[in-house]
């Protein structure tokens, strides 16, 4: 990577461990007096959630609960949350749920602080200042949203999913308690786990800071570096050890902890280094097929790795070794895409466009839309201008 470079943007506090959700009793009152709690509708009916609300209220914080969270986050549910939070006079957001729920809280807290239309904030660095404080408590292990500057939205006015990326969207505090993921069914475990693995691999193989023109000028905010590489590799190891176990035995708490740790590592890595082609191309594919985000990125990831291979031999070799490969860099790097595809197939992630219901005659359209997600497509280590169609063409054949 040339000269030593390290950058990290992250919450001011991260707490990880089984049972650590109890930290809400002292973190809540430290950050506000009127909490607006966004909760995943599945999780809202759980005993654990009732206990969390009791912790907040016993600590003297008035709580309002919003459980109308819809997966993949359509804009309507954000607007409903903003209205409800405004009438509660919220000064603190708490999100207890998957990526859809945490992203909802991020955008609602932004709109409450700054007003305007959601579309005003699409893209990068468009949030003008701090949002309301946010405590993020994930109940899936995958998106890393509890530590990232990103929110991903489905806007019916647009053909593809859209992102908001701003350091102001980073939650104030992340509390990661793997016990909260024990109820995730295999499909959610696999999709979220594939998302986490994609975050680790895409940030670890992202464009280097030296060749990133946006980072060379005065906007030296972030970029791939030593810290993000360390997090990404730790995440790949943890997911490689835990995901199949968590998928086959939902009650395996040690496996759940490994995957949630991998997800946290992936979030810390990509929150600074960014993701790339698999994420850019999933936006249109996810919008058209209504498949979960993690299924789409997991399906695309091996084809993106193969496309990038010659630019990232050392990195792909390190990845392959975490899936058990032994040998010199060139030979194990060549195995990495297939090893990752086999690993993901073992938890039920499809491996072709057809298998997720994407019509192959729309490849040209998806490539165009993916390229338009410049924040992601320009972060790919090999230029995508011609490559997007060939990646999708390979994914069509399988
Ligand atoms: P999700 O939040 O959409 O939830 C998926 C399903 O799992 C829902 O039906 C939900 O009710 C259920 N669920 C959640 N927790 C559960 C639990 N503990 N037990 C049983 N069921 C549970 O899924 P996700 O994968 O966490 O989030 C996906 C969203 O996050 C997408 O919109 C994606 O684009 C976005 N995303 C955001 C970031 C980011 O940095 N902000 C990163 C990646 C993805």
């Amino acid at each position: 990577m040339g000269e030593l470079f390290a950058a990290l943007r992250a919450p001011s506090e991260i707490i990880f461990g089984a049972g650590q959700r109890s930290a809400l009793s002292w973190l809540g009152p430290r950050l506000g007096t009127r909490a607006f709690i966004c909760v995943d509708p599945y999780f809202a009916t759980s005993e654990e959630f009732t206990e969390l609300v009791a912790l907040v209220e016993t600590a003297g914080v008035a709580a309002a609960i919003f459980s109308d969270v819809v997966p993949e986050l359509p804009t309507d549910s954000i607007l409903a949350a903003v209205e409800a939070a405004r009438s509660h006079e919220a000064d603190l957001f708490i999100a207890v749920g998957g990526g859809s729920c945490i992203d909802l809280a991020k955008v609602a807290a932004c709109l409450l602080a700054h007003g305007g239309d959601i579309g005003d904030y699409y893209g990068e660095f468009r949030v003008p200042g701090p949002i309301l404080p946010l405590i993020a408590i994930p109940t899936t292990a995958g998106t890393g949203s509890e530590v990232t500057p990103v929110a991903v939205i489905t806007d019916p006015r647009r053909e593809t999913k859209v992102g908001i990326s701003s350091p102001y969207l980073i939650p104030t505090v992340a509390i990661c308690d793997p016990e909260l993921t024990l109820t995730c069914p295999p499909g959610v475990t696999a999709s979220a786990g594939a998302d986490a693995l994609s975050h680790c691999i895409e940030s670890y193989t992202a464009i280097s800071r030296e060749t990133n023109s946006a980072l060379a000028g005065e906007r030296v905010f972030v970029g791939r570096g030593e810290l993000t590489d360390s997090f990404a590799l730790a995440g790949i190891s943890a997911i490689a050890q835990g995901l199949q176990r968590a998928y086959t035995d939902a009650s395996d708490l040690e496996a759940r902890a490994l995957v949630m740790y991998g997800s946290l590592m992936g979030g810390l890595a990509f929150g600074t280094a960014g993701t790339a082609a698999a994420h850019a191309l999933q936006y249109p594919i996810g919008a058209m097929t209504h498949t979960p985000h993690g299924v789409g990125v997991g399906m695309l990831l091996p084809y993106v790795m193969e496309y990038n291979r010659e630019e990232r031999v050392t990195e792909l070799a390190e990845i392959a070794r975490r899936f058990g490969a032994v040998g010199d860099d060139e030979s194990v790097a060549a195995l990495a895409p297939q090893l990752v595809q086999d690993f993901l197939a073992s938890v039920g992630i499809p491996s072709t466009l057809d298998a997720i219901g994407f019509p192959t005659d729309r490849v040209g359209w998806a490539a165009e839309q993916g390229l338009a997600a410049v924040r992601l497509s320009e972060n790919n280590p090999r230029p995508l201008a011609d490559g997007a169609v060939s990646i999708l063409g390979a994914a069509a054949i399988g």
Side-chain angles (χ1 to χ4, degrees):
M1 293 215 40
E3 136 202 31
L4 188 63
F5 169 74
L8 186 69
R9 44 185 198 186
S12 55
E13 203 148 352
I14 299 171
I15 296 174
F16 183 99
Q20 290 300 321
R21 59 190 181 278
S22 61
L24 195 56
S25 63
W26 52 272
L27 283 165
R30 196 205 275 180
L31 292 171
T33 56
R34 300 189 63 78
F36 187 71
I37 307 182
C38 302
V39 60
D40 179 90
Y42 176 88
F43 205 77
T45 57
S46 69
E47 210 174 287
E48 287 86 350
F49 182 65
T50 309
E51 286 166 14
L52 279 177
V53 175
L55 278 180
V56 173
E57 289 178 330
T58 308
V61 177
I65 294 159
F66 181 87
S67 61
D68 198 9
V69 178
V70 181
E72 308 298 313
L73 196 47
T75 44
D76 283 0
S77 70
I78 301 171
L79 298 177
V82 172
E83 279 321 303
R86 187 174 285 127
S87 60
H88 181 60
E89 297 178 4
D91 60 3
L92 164 66
F93 275 68
I94 299 173
V96 188
S100 301
C101 178
I102 297 173
D103 287 3
L104 168 92
K106 288 177 176 179
V107 183
C110 169
L111 288 170
L112 209 61
H114 301 295
D117 183 84
I118 299 176
D120 299 342
Y121 304 105
Y122 293 164
E124 241 182 327
F125 303 119
R126 301 185 69 178
V127 177
I131 64 169
L132 268 71
L134 167 61
I135 299 175
I137 307 176
T139 63
T140 61
T143 70
S145 181
E146 68 274 14
V147 295
T148 73
V150 178
V152 187
I153 295 162
T154 302
D155 185 335
R157 299 171 296 185
R158 305 264 181 141
E159 274 189 300
T160 86
K161 289 183 85 175
V162 280
I164 300 178
S165 177
S166 161
Y168 293 119
L169 290 194
I170 297 173
T172 323
V173 172
I175 303 175
C176 304
D177 184 338
E179 285 177 1
L180 301 184
T181 64
L182 287 169
T183 49
C184 284
V188 171
T189 302
S191 155
D195 192 18
L197 183 62
S198 308
H199 294 153
C200 294
I201 291 179
E202 289 222 285
S203 55
Y204 183 54
T205 53
I207 198 167
S208 68
R209 180 172 163 268
E210 292 81 359
T211 50
N212 187 332
S213 57
L215 297 176
E218 63 186 43
R219 294 169 69 216
V220 184
F221 285 107
V222 288
R224 182 186 164 204
E226 297 298 321
L227 277 168
T228 63
D229 280 1
S230 307
F231 289 130
L233 285 173
I236 296 166
S237 297
I239 295 162
Q241 289 172 57
L243 184 59
Q244 287 164 326
R245 280 171 55 192
Y247 178 76
T248 49
D249 178 3
S251 66
D252 183 339
L253 182 59
E254 188 183 273
R256 292 291 191 185
L258 282 165
V259 184
M260 185 169 245
Y261 189 70
S263 169
L264 171 64
M265 294 295 106
L268 289 169
F270 98 82
T272 299
T275 54
H279 278 75
L281 296 171
Q282 189 278 334
Y283 276 12
I285 290 170
M288 177 173 273
T289 59
H290 301 288
T291 43
H293 172 80
V295 169
V297 284
M299 185 277 293
L300 289 165
L301 182 66
Y303 301 104
V304 170
M305 290 170 71
E306 184 58 42
Y307 178 75
N308 291 334
R309 179 153 63 98
E310 289 190 4
E311 297 289 330
R312 288 291 179 266
V313 170
T314 315
E315 289 84 349
L316 260 64
E318 283 304 317
I319 293 165
R321 291 188 183 105
R322 277 153 179 82
F323 288 94
V326 180
D328 62 85
D329 277 8
E330 285 285 345
S331 56
V332 293
L335 301 174
Q338 190 64 53
L339 285 168
V340 167
Q341 191 172 61
D342 291 347
F343 177 77
L344 291 174
S346 75
V347 295
I349 299 295
S351 54
T352 61
L353 283 175
D354 189 43
I356 63 167
F358 186 81
T360 46
D361 61 356
R362 299 302 305 275
V363 157
W365 168 80
E368 210 174 281
Q369 297 289 327
L371 284 171
V374 175
R375 170 175 70 86
L376 307 172
S377 58
E378 288 193 354
N379 205 32
N380 202 63
R382 187 174 163 198
L384 270 186
D386 301 320
V389 168
S390 70
I391 290 167
L392 292 172
I397 299 164

